[in-house]
Amino acid sequence: MERRQFLQAGLVSAASGMSGAALAQAWPGRPIKWILSQPAGSGPDILARFVADNVSRRIGQPIVVDNRPGGQNVIGAQAAMRSPADGYTFYYATTAAMVTNVFTFKALPYDPEKDFTPVRLIGRSPFVIAAGSSFGGASLADAIAAAKSQPEKLAIATEGPKTFSGMLADSFAAMAGIKFTHVPYNKAPDAIQDVIGGRVDFICLPEAALLSYIRSGQIKALAVSTAQRTANLPSVPTLSETFSGFEYSGWNGLFAPAGTPKDIVDHMSRELEVVLKQPDVVQRLQTLGSLAETKMSVAEFEVFMRSERTRWAGIVKAIGIKPE
């Protein structure tokens, strides 16, 4: 009797293992959803849909981008966190959702580290510090000198002091030993028009939002935030050329609800890597203001996430951000 029970238990165990393997091999067997915290038509939305379409063609199943904007990414993150961990729902997230919200909220209703599994880093977004064409200077050094000569009188347009652009502006000001007056905007076009019109002195926004105005001469680019100069603005120096080692870029990546089978996470990561190495995809992402991350394994992405949390803890402390 005991021997028969032992054999039956072994058969059940083997069958369970085969079932799990078969499930992973059969994935994906139906459409997949990517939840996004930003509205339709936004920069992250355009990026997510482009990448999703390319991955979809490889895996033979539609990938639907499900927009859940609001609450500074909280609504979308919670929806993704609460989704079944079956490999059919993922979270296309930005730096704010997965890192900086931890430091700007007193009580964040999700835990980016415990509630999600990193799948792959997709791209990094350069930011630009720029001035209106009426600004008399031509360089970052000129802007710093002007700010020092008029403490707290010069204004900089951002998306708000606790947003990515606002914290970059404050980080730059802290390093330069200057102070700006923040002018927060809900919409980038409004901020851009006020800088062009001379109502605000400087602006800090993603490169993609400012590029056409820089190329037309309506705005003067003073510095980019990435470690190297960007292909779109090769003549514009980096902040690190003035402040050694400084790098500040937003990024977007794909995450899965915690508990999603590792085989599926690895599969999706590999498909993304193939897509992100395609020259036409790299070029299109660059046009959209994102530098494609062409090589990063799941394990490397996990290490990257840990380093980002450590780095941002230091940035937030340095600029004196208080959680609310």
Side-chain angles (χ1 to χ4, degrees):
M1 178 62 105
E2 289 181 1
R3 188 174 188 283
R4 185 166 67 246
Q5 288 175 335
F6 175 78
L7 290 171
Q8 288 174 340
L11 288 170
V12 169
S13 177
S16 299
M18 289 172 61
S19 175
L23 176 65
Q25 289 171 3
W27 182 91
R30 54 187 169 87
I32 292 168
K33 181 192 298 183
W34 285 8
I35 292 177
L36 179 71
S37 297
Q38 285 75 34
S42 64
D45 177 72
I46 294 169
L47 283 168
R49 291 178 188 277
F50 173 70
V51 175
D53 285 346
N54 279 271
V55 175
S56 175
R57 286 194 287 272
R58 283 192 54 79
I59 64 177
Q61 287 289 349
I63 297 178
V64 179
V65 175
D66 181 4
N67 300 91
R68 303 286 187 96
Q72 297 181 58
N73 297 287
V74 169
I75 292 173
Q78 284 188 296
M81 174 190 72
R82 293 167 178 165
S83 298
D86 58 4
Y88 288 93
T89 301
F90 294 84
Y91 184 36
Y92 188 99
T94 61
T95 318
M98 303 307 287
V99 179
T100 61
N101 272 4
V102 173
F103 306 108
T104 58
F105 280 76
K106 277 187 177 178
L108 192 62
Y110 65 94
D111 186 325
E113 189 169 6
K114 294 179 180 178
D115 295 331
F116 294 95
T117 297
V119 178
R120 202 179 194 290
L121 184 65
I122 291 172
R124 304 177 196 245
S125 302
F127 277 66
V128 177
I129 294 176
S133 58
S134 60
F135 175 61
S139 67
L140 190 69
D142 293 335
I144 293 171
K148 285 183 175 179
S149 68
Q150 305 173 67
E152 298 188 61
K153 289 188 178 180
L154 298 182
I156 188 164
T158 69
E159 296 158 302
K162 291 189 177 181
T163 65
F164 210 78
S165 62
M167 288 190 282
L168 170 54
D170 279 341
S171 293
F172 157 59
M175 289 186 300
I178 58 178
K179 285 190 177 181
F180 290 118
T181 297
H182 264 285
V183 183
Y185 288 82
N186 290 324
K187 297 179 180 178
D190 294 342
I192 292 166
Q193 290 307 314
D194 278 357
V195 171
I196 291 172
R199 291 177 287 278
V200 181
D201 304 289
F202 301 100
I203 190 167
C204 179
L205 284 178
E207 181 188 82
L210 297 176
L211 190 58
S212 63
Y213 302 96
I214 293 168
R215 286 174 170 168
S216 68
Q218 294 172 285
I219 288 177
K220 296 178 184 178
L222 304 178
V224 295
S225 66
T226 41
Q228 288 83 36
R229 297 190 183 196
T230 70
N232 288 327
L233 298 171
S235 63
V236 178
T238 66
L239 280 169
S240 64
E241 289 174 43
T242 301
F243 306 102
S244 180
F246 183 78
E247 179 183 3
Y248 189 114
S249 58
W251 48 259
N252 51 91
L254 196 68
F255 297 79
T260 299
K262 185 179 184 301
D263 285 352
I264 292 176
V265 169
D266 290 341
H267 189 158
M268 178 62 85
S269 183
R270 289 193 300 270
E271 297 296 347
L272 279 164
E273 180 168 350
V274 172
V275 165
L276 291 169
K277 284 182 176 178
Q278 297 171 358
D280 59 325
V281 171
V282 172
Q283 181 60 46
R284 178 58 177 156
L285 288 182
Q286 180 182 311
T287 302
L288 295 172
S290 183
L291 308 176
E293 188 64 46
T294 57
K295 186 178 181 181
M296 184 174 284
S297 67
V298 173
E300 289 169 335
F301 191 21
E302 290 171 348
V303 172
F304 172 79
M305 288 301 301
R306 288 195 293 272
S307 68
E308 278 291 273
R309 293 182 183 112
T310 300
R311 188 168 75 92
W312 275 99
I315 290 173
V316 168
K317 183 179 180 180
I319 61 179
I321 291 288
K322 303 297 182 185
E324 294 181 357

